[in-house]
Amino acid sequence: MTNRRNFLTGAGALTTAVAAAAVSRVAMAALPEPVFQTTPDTMAPLVPGTGRPYNPVVTLNGWTLPWRMNAGVKEFHLVAEPVVREMSPGFKAHLWGYNGQSPGPTIEVVEGDRVRIFVTNKLPEHTSVHWHGQRLPNGMDGVSGLTQKAIPVGKTFVYEFVAKRPGTFMYHPHADEMTQMAMGMMGFWITHPKAKHPLIDEVNRDFVFLLNAYDIDPGAYTPKIMTMLDFNLWSWNSRVFPGIDPLVVRKNDKVRIRIGNLTMTNHPMHLHGHEFTVTGTDGGPTPKGSRWPEVTADVAVGQMRQIEFLADEEGDWAFHCHKSHHTMNAMGHDVPTMIGVDHRKVVKDITNVIPDYMVMGERGMADMAEMDMPLPDNTAKMMTGEGPFGSVEMGGMFSMVKVRKDQKPGDYKDPGWYKHPAGEVAYEWTGALPNPARFAAEGGQTMKAQNMPMKEVEVQVRKPVMGGAGSMGGMKH
Ligand SMILES: [Cu+2]
């Protein structure tokens, strides 16, 4: 696990930039100085220095865009541009994003705020920004061709509207969307309630992240934009495990996590050790009567789900997408299942031709994490992450909620691994193993099938090839 964290330095730099931009009258008439961020660390929440107060969110492996107040209007400056995003340590992707990052910075405002957003286009093609879920004048909705001219290369457009309803929103281009979203252009938008809201509880920790997906061949740097289904990198805020920071909380904190999905498929988000309720969607806070306990909430394409729970169990609790292929990195699609196949003979034959050939594990895929196979220059290991008990064998959309009783309020630093109390870890049975008792009715059938084959057929399970020409990260060289 990585421990590279740099909360205070980053936040300090942002505050300085805001102060510098707010001094000169000449500067106020000009564009707000854009603020850029290039480290993938989770930045400390940006405590509002101007405007109405609110409890800021924490963007996982991301940050909040500072603003300036100009005659009562909150002004932001987004710069759409190519960026280099470290998706996990040692693996960099050439993406498109905003202000140095993909996803772009989170924008936080308060219900009733008048907001002016300058969008400068430094991409090689035109763009626009759609403010997903917002109530706003039609001409500010950001659909190029329909509600505005696309922002040409090198030009700056201005969006201005009042943030009418509190909630969680997203932003993304509505111009050559397929390319621009596949390249990583997206961001979060939070509108905090201006006063106590009957359906929005105060929480101690408020995390946000976007689900996104990329198709980057092992060894390559740029996503393939034509991919519709066969993505090989399933990410949170353009990071893959073990590059995703843990969500660190104090025991008995009330925790909110807001998750937006801008991939091409749904993600059942699963939390271990606690039950949560869905307290909001991109349509707003949910009525109390519609809330029930869950441990998994499906976040469909283009949706946001806001979950809340009381973190009252200490430990390192896995939090992940429940589609098992989405907790893997750089997976290929032409890899047959080899479990139970003794391919020693085959390997021997092949290695006569290709000396460093290696076959996927015959005991299951865990071999992949154990074998430290040579990888192409720029890719993420398929399943990895060293835990206190060995490899976690995960990648992609996986992280942990770390609950600690001695974590200080407002402290998001990784506390390291949970120290389990004595007698509270699964342990090996070392006594004798009795012969298994067979269930008496095993193999019985109440309704006989018709036209059964004359002799027994044993099916060799083999996973179908899903199409696509990608190869598994580090499989063949
Ligand atoms: Cu998923």
Side-chain angles (χ1 to χ4, degrees):
M1 287 295 295
T2 168
N3 252 329
R4 310 170 39 250
R5 312 177 66 81
N6 190 20
F7 292 122
L8 298 172
T9 333
L14 298 182
T15 320
T16 314
V18 178
V23 283
S24 138
R25 198 170 276 272
V26 181
M28 295 307 274
L31 282 174
E33 184 105 2
V35 182
F36 295 86
Q37 185 60 268
T38 50
T39 104
D41 296 339
T42 302
M43 289 298 156
L46 182 65
V47 177
T50 54
R52 272 179 287 222
Y54 60 82
N55 289 323
V57 298
V58 169
T59 306
L60 209 56
N61 295 102
W63 58 300
T64 287
L65 186 63
W67 64 87
R68 72 172 186 192
M69 291 300 279
N70 191 356
V73 181
K74 264 185 191 168
E75 291 186 334
F76 296 88
H77 192 169
L78 282 176
V79 178
E81 59 177 2
V83 301
V84 174
R85 175 65 162 174
E86 186 198 81
M87 293 193 72
S88 70
F91 171 39
K92 289 190 169 144
H94 292 193
L95 307 178
W96 290 358
Y98 301 92
N99 301 49
Q101 295 263 312
S102 162
T106 299
I107 292 177
E108 290 185 78
V109 301
V110 179
E111 177 187 8
D113 278 354
R114 177 163 275 277
V115 181
R116 188 177 296 133
I117 307 129
F118 298 84
V119 179
T120 298
N121 182 9
K122 291 194 174 169
L123 296 172
E125 66 169 1
H126 66 216
T127 190
S128 74
V129 184
H130 165 58
W131 314 100
H132 175 116
Q134 304 268 6
R135 291 263 173 171
L136 35 62
N138 184 244
M140 294 292 164
D141 198 38
V143 182
S144 64
L146 179 65
T147 66
Q148 67 165 89
K149 280 190 173 151
I151 310 170
V153 176
K155 300 291 182 193
T156 298
F157 272 38
V158 184
Y159 293 88
E160 185 166 336
F161 55 91
V162 173
K164 281 192 179 158
R165 65 178 180 86
T168 311
F169 308 94
M170 304 182 266
Y171 64 86
H172 61 81
H174 227 293
D176 192 13
E177 256 185 275
M178 184 194 77
T179 303
Q180 298 190 7
M181 288 176 63
M183 290 295 286
M185 298 194 70
M186 54 190 72
F188 239 106
W189 177 301
I190 313 293
T191 303
H192 296 277
K194 64 179 177 214
K196 251 195 172 354
H197 190 289
L199 297 175
I200 303 173
D201 288 348
E202 300 251 311
V203 293
N204 304 101
R205 312 251 172 172
D206 199 339
F207 296 96
V208 306
F209 62 91
L210 286 163
L211 305 168
N212 45 15
Y214 299 96
D215 185 14
I216 305 177
D217 280 336
Y221 292 83
T222 308
K224 294 194 278 188
I225 54 160
M226 300 302 279
T227 299
M228 187 178 169
L229 297 171
D230 292 334
F231 295 91
N232 62 7
L233 290 161
W234 300 97
S235 45
W236 294 359
N237 279 353
S238 306
R239 292 279 285 183
V240 292
F241 184 78
I244 303 174
D245 279 335
L247 294 80
V248 178
V249 310
R250 178 183 168 86
K251 191 185 177 190
N252 293 325
D253 269 355
K254 191 141 201 309
V255 180
R256 179 186 289 142
I257 305 174
R258 315 177 196 228
I259 306 155
N261 180 2
L262 290 175
T263 73
M264 304 276 233
T265 187
N266 61 319
H267 302 281
M269 300 295 291
H270 176 54
L271 175 65
H272 292 210
H274 296 81
E275 313 83 42
F276 59 76
T277 52
V278 174
T279 58
T281 74
D282 20 3
T286 53
K288 290 232 158 113
S290 74
R291 299 178 188 179
W292 63 76
E294 291 272 21
V295 294
T296 304
D298 198 24
V299 189
V301 182
Q303 282 185 339
M304 190 284 297
R305 288 291 177 269
Q306 171 184 302
I307 66 170
E308 281 173 38
F309 59 97
L310 181 69
D312 55 358
E313 298 284 356
E314 269 203 290
D316 294 337
W317 300 106
F319 179 47
H320 60 96
C321 172
H322 215 291
K323 287 185 175 173
S324 50
H325 286 202
H326 293 181
T327 50
M328 301 276 247
N329 293 329
M331 246 190 30
H333 309 293
D334 53 355
V335 181
T337 300
M338 296 296 221
I339 297 169
V341 178
D342 184 351
H343 39 38
R344 275 168 296 195
K345 166 83 169 59
V346 184
V347 175
K348 214 167 154 230
D349 290 349
I350 295 173
T351 43
N352 286 337
V353 189
I354 312 163
D356 56 356
Y357 181 85
M358 241 177 187
V359 200
M360 186 168 107
E362 59 190 333
R363 295 170 297 156
M365 295 289 281
D367 293 11
M368 296 290 295
E370 280 167 30
M371 292 191 269
D372 209 7
M373 295 188 301
L375 291 173
D377 276 349
N378 190 54
T379 192
K381 285 181 87 171
M382 196 165 90
M383 42 206 276
T384 176
E386 269 314 293
F389 300 100
S391 174
V392 182
E393 299 170 356
M394 286 278 139
M397 294 176 159
F398 180 93
S399 187
M400 295 138 284
V401 174
K402 292 193 169 187
V403 185
R404 297 289 187 280
K405 67 173 184 307
D406 47 5
Q407 193 78 16
K408 298 227 163 43
D411 183 5
Y412 292 85
K413 269 197 293 296
D414 188 343
W417 301 115
Y418 180 56
K419 308 235 175 357
H420 303 84
E424 289 191 11
V425 175
Y427 58 93
E428 184 183 357
W429 168 257
T430 51
L433 292 176
N435 279 329
R438 295 263 179 225
F439 183 53
E442 189 176 51
Q445 283 172 311
T446 50
M447 297 176 92
K448 270 221 149 96
Q450 291 179 324
N451 305 322
M452 287 291 281
M454 291 303 287
K455 61 177 194 236
E456 280 193 11
V457 176
E458 196 176 316
V459 177
Q460 295 292 334
V461 180
R462 188 185 150 113
K463 241 161 98 173
V465 171
M466 290 189 285
S471 68
M472 178 162 308
M475 278 302 295
K476 303 169 215 158
H477 301 285

